[in-house]
Amino acid sequence: MSTPATAVQWLDVAAAPYPFRLPLQHTALIMIDMQRDFILPGGFGETLGNDVARLADAVKVARGLLDWCRHLGISVFHTKEAHAADLSDCPTAKRNRGAPALRIGDPGPMGRILIDGEAGSDFVPELAPLPGETVIVKPGKGAFYATALGDLLRATDITHLLLAGVTTEVCVQTTMREANDRGYECLLIEDATESYFPEFKAATLAMIRAQGGIVGWTAPLSAFLTATEKAPW
Ligand code: C5J
């Protein structure tokens, strides 16, 4: 059955702590920091001492989510954590934190670490943005801090967000909390996000959906796919 251009199409996703209802035309996917610097050897994640291989499965699931959102016409935003070449947007505290093998801005195997425009800061090829999709370059962990994301979502009447990306307890959780405080209804796709630390991922998912969904909802990609298959339109 064809749908009038103005009719909102609703999806009911089996989620925790209870079903998540989203209006397709007012929903955006926020794909967070699927960059070589976090996912591939030689990048920022590995210089911090992490096993980046843990993220590979989430990249595959995120690709499925991305394909499905594109198919449904859901707006797609890709974020990347990256800094200006002169580091003017990188707080000294961030650069100096810890004892990494390479710091932000240092030359690494994929170019300067976490610098916008360098190969390492770019997206992994399977999750590269398509023309027309928005790329948000962010200097912090949250995608709303010091970016135009909030203005762009407001301008396009987005009320609901699907979230995916890396890492679960850092940039994904920070962004979801920022979005929740701004009044967005947020669903984190559980298997399209990953952490270098399995226990941190589990704790983040539990925190998000605790207390009646104090930060939002979580569901596996399969639940989102099933919801679209069951949709009456
Ligand atoms: C981190 C991120 N982990 N994208 N960034 O430093 O989660």
Side-chain angles (χ1 to χ4, degrees):
M1 193 174 72
S2 68
T3 313
T6 51
V8 172
Q9 295 163 293
W10 291 91
L11 275 185
D12 291 295
V13 183
Y18 56 92
F20 183 78
R21 183 143 223 258
L22 65 90
L24 212 57
Q25 289 79 2
H26 300 284
T27 299
L29 169 66
I30 314 286
M31 186 63 76
I32 298 174
D33 299 1
M34 289 299 213
Q35 299 162 248
R36 296 178 180 135
D37 262 329
F38 293 109
I39 292 168
L40 300 184
F44 185 58
E46 195 178 67
T47 75
L48 294 172
N50 298 305
D51 173 14
V52 294
R54 291 208 77 262
L55 309 185
D57 286 349
V59 170
K60 289 191 200 118
V61 178
R63 175 56 195 261
L65 172 65
L66 187 57
D67 286 346
W68 202 239
C69 287
R70 286 169 173 161
H71 170 70
L72 292 170
I74 287 177
S75 311
V76 178
F77 293 75
H78 303 259
T79 74
K80 55 157 118 164
E81 182 177 346
H83 294 279
D86 63 2
L87 296 177
S88 55
D89 59 359
C90 181
T92 306
K94 180 176 182 182
R95 186 161 195 271
N96 288 347
R97 190 71 50 80
L102 295 171
R103 293 189 187 276
I104 296 169
D106 287 349
M110 294 186 288
R112 293 178 66 201
I113 297 287
L114 232 56
I115 297 297
D116 195 22
E118 300 283 339
S121 79
D122 204 355
F123 301 101
V124 291
E126 52 274 59
L127 295 170
L130 289 181
E133 295 175 350
T134 306
V135 174
I136 301 286
V137 182
K138 61 185 183 62
K141 306 303 184 194
F144 288 82
Y145 168 68
T147 74
L149 180 60
D151 291 339
L152 292 171
L153 295 176
R154 260 192 309 279
T156 48
D157 285 334
I158 298 297
T159 55
H160 289 59
L161 301 178
L162 302 172
L163 293 109
V166 297
T167 60
T168 314
E169 77 282 10
V170 185
C171 291
V172 175
Q173 176 171 214
T174 304
T175 299
M176 190 160 173
R177 287 177 181 274
E178 287 182 330
N180 186 54
D181 281 351
R182 286 163 174 77
Y184 293 97
E185 306 280 18
C186 299
L187 173 65
L188 174 58
I189 303 299
E190 295 163 6
D191 40 356
T193 182
E194 194 47 86
S195 169
Y196 303 120
F197 307 93
E199 67 277 24
F200 289 174
K201 175 177 177 178
T204 301
L205 297 184
M207 274 189 265
I208 283 168
R209 59 195 177 210
Q211 304 176 76
I214 198 151
V215 182
W217 287 255
T218 77
L221 176 61
S222 59
F224 181 59
L225 302 187
T226 301
T228 61
E229 280 154 16
K230 285 190 179 157
W233 30 270

